[in-house]
Structures are given as structure tokens and as C-alpha cells.
Amino acid sequence: MGKHAQTYLVGAVSALGGFLFGYDTGVMSSIQEIDQWKRYFHNPGPVGVGVIVSLLTAGCFVGSLCGGWLADKFSRRRTIMFASLVVSLGAAIQSGSQNRAMLIVGRFITGLGVG
């Protein structure tokens, strides 16, 4: 590895990020079949489930549009640290969701940070 260790590390972390993005989608696909989840969020239909799942990707799109500008203005390191906080906030909102709207907002905020 030697002098290219940092390059490999950055590649590994990036790959892990892609893996986690796919894992989130898989978890959401599985959790939607749990009867308790369906009752808690008032049995969302296909459109409701689609909105819940796709708002993460929409947030990623918006976040990616802002990412370059923020990195230029504040530095990449600070932008990544801020994005990590945004992802944590979105995850906390999703975890504490009291209703479907709160879950959707949490997923969008998480997407902003991922983007």
C-alpha cells in the first residue's frame, strides 16, 4: 500500500457510503412489510410508501446541488462535518417519528446530508 494508503482509504470510505445507501433502501423495503409499522403510519398505500422511500433520494439531489458551492466557500472538511451533522439530525427525526410527515421530513433531511 505504502504511499497510496490514503487513496485506498478514501476509496474504501466512499464504497462504504454507497453500501450504506443501498442498505437504507433495503431496510425500508423490509420494514414496510411489518404490520406494526403499517398501523403506526396509518397503512400508507403505494403512493405514500413511494413518497417515504423516494424523499431520501430527492434530498440527496438537492444536497448534491449545494455540496460543491459549500465546499468552495467553507472547505471540504467543514462541509463534510456539517453534512454529517445534517445526516445525524435526519436520522434522529426518523427514529423519533410520531407520524408519517415527520418520517418524510426526516428522510429528506437525511438525504440533504448524504448529497
Side-chain angles (χ1 to χ4, degrees):
M1 259 214 264
K3 65 181 186 176
H4 299 291
Q6 186 177 11
T7 304
Y8 291 127
L9 180 63
V10 169
V13 169
S14 298
L16 181 63
F19 168 76
L20 291 174
F21 191 80
Y23 179 74
D24 173 78
T25 304
V27 167
M28 284 306 295
S29 295
S30 299
I31 203 168
Q32 293 165 10
E33 296 305 316
I34 298 173
D35 290 331
Q36 182 181 0
W37 187 88
K38 290 178 183 178
R39 283 191 307 273
Y40 190 81
F41 291 110
H42 305 292
N43 297 309
V47 173
V49 169
V51 169
I52 290 168
V53 172
S54 65
L55 259 286
L56 179 79
T57 307
C60 290
F61 175 74
V62 174
S64 67
L65 293 176
C66 304
W69 178 81
L70 289 170
D72 287 344
K73 185 158 178 75
F74 299 109
S75 83
R76 280 185 226 128
R77 180 177 291 178
R78 287 186 179 145
T79 301
I80 290 171
M81 289 189 310
F82 177 71
S84 298
L85 291 174
V86 172
V87 168
S88 297
L89 173 67
I93 292 171
Q94 288 179 74
S95 298
S97 294
Q98 298 295 310
N99 53 47
R100 194 182 315 173
M102 195 172 173
L103 179 64
I104 290 169
V105 168
R107 288 192 56 80
F108 184 78
I109 292 172
T110 300
L112 286 174
V114 171

